[in-house]
Amino acid sequence: MFAPPGRMLFSNTRPSLPHLLSLRLLGTAASRSTAVKQNELLSRALTFEDPSAFRAKSWAELIRALGVFRLCSFPVLVNNCGKLMSVARTLLGKRGFSLLLRPTVYAQFVAGENEMEISQSMKKMSLLGLRPMLAVPIEEDVGESIREKRYDDNTEAMLECVRLSHCNTWSRDPMMQLKITALLSPELCVKLTTLIAQQPYDLSLLVKAMDGEMITFPGLEEKENIHFLCGLKRLNKIAEASVNKVRVLVDAEYTYMNAALSLVTMAMMKKFNKDGAWIWNTYQCYLKESRSLLLEALHLSAREGFCLGVKLVRGAYMDKERKMAEKEGRADPIHKSWEDTNYSYNGALDVMLDVISQKPERYRIIVATHNEESVRRAAKRMEELGIEKNGGSVCFGQLLGMCDHVSLTLAKESYIVYKSVPYGSVDDTVPYLVRRAQENRTVLQGIRKERDLLRKELKHRLKLKLRGGS
């Protein structure tokens, strides 16, 4: 059974969870002393203050990053980037607009349009010790629903993403991102979320539907049940293609549809995660209910006997979530302060690292954050709990083109690091880039440190060049 958000799953099984989360006993005084020294070394290594992290970047890449980040530091440009790009496209035309974006914003945040361009970007990333997490830039929200044929086309695009991720030698253990509303109507997901809150649903029925058995979800009309069945079949097709090849990380979206997305994702986990975490779910720690949702997932995975993969993020839809809640007269689902969100994120991180330290073969996490303190905290806890840096159960993730001083430093220290990598044409990726910019505006406007490190590296190279020329 699947319970609504905010209510714990299988509350009668609560006593069984502590054995998963029990703290390890402290060692001897000697081992504690060793741990302190190791943590001191770790802290020095992960200060993220060294501009040499950018040593592998070309002159053009340094200058481009500085220019793009400078533009991103202006709130008026970030907040209105969608309108500005629309105006630019109208004035310049499709070709002119592409010529403007390709060497600048597009090149900074997108891997390329075709397989050859993507391969070149990924090989360069691989040489830096980074791994790709490919993302098809498909954006759908309520009011943007598309016909069944388009959902089928999106499925083919996702299957191509599986192929691209698996058939190349860019990295071990490839990952990709999956947006469920690209395969299933957002309106249906909203309705399902409402229905789940009224009546829990048996995951095994969804698993049977993935195999083609007709589904009748209480409260849905006949045509909605048919569309739901088609969506589950599409998801099943992608999961079957990716199991034992590519780890599929399902994106979280808005709270008014997330319960439905989690329902479907848990059904996929129940079917495909018996022997490993191939399907992962995303948990947004800026939501007040995030801790309870994560604990629900841990209970469910233990009870149903499947492996749990977790992508841990702070969250990206804050402004719209708050406006929607106010408009509908609901309580604000977002934590009141940045500090509360940090507390939530770090608490969820500790929970996952504790269970991973005991059963690394059953649980996995990607610490998907640009927050340096959370990264250091994760690394420190890994050291304390004896979790291997490159064992595969814990990895880190950042967006392509951003936070490279963190990504490259982590890779240098032998941690597993993925970059979220969108790909496609300029026209296909612009909506994705606009939404990412607006969702991550606080990150974009706060990249002063990365700009400073890029400048230091540029000055270092200029000095070397001048010395060499004199």
Side-chain angles (χ1 to χ4, degrees), residues 370-394:
H370 294 172
N371 184 283
E372 294 176 14
E373 189 52 45
S374 289
V375 170
R376 277 191 289 269
R377 183 189 183 94
K380 181 180 178 182
R381 288 296 290 152
M382 288 172 69
E383 184 77 40
E384 291 169 350
L385 294 167
I387 299 172
E388 294 180 29
K389 288 182 179 181
N390 57 1
S393 294
V394 181

Side-chain angles (χ1 to χ4, degrees), residues 35-50 372-373 375-381 383-384 389 409-410 413 415 449:
V36 168
K37 289 179 181 178
Q38 288 173 333
N39 282 331
E40 287 175 355
L41 290 171
L42 185 66
S43 297
R44 284 198 292 272
L46 299 183
T47 57
F48 307 115
E49 300 282 356
D50 186 2
E372 294 176 14
E373 189 52 45
V375 170
R376 277 191 289 269
R377 183 189 183 94
K380 181 180 178 182
R381 288 296 290 152
E383 184 77 40
E384 291 169 350
K389 288 182 179 181
T409 301
L410 284 170
E413 294 297 318
Y415 292 93
K449 180 176 180 178

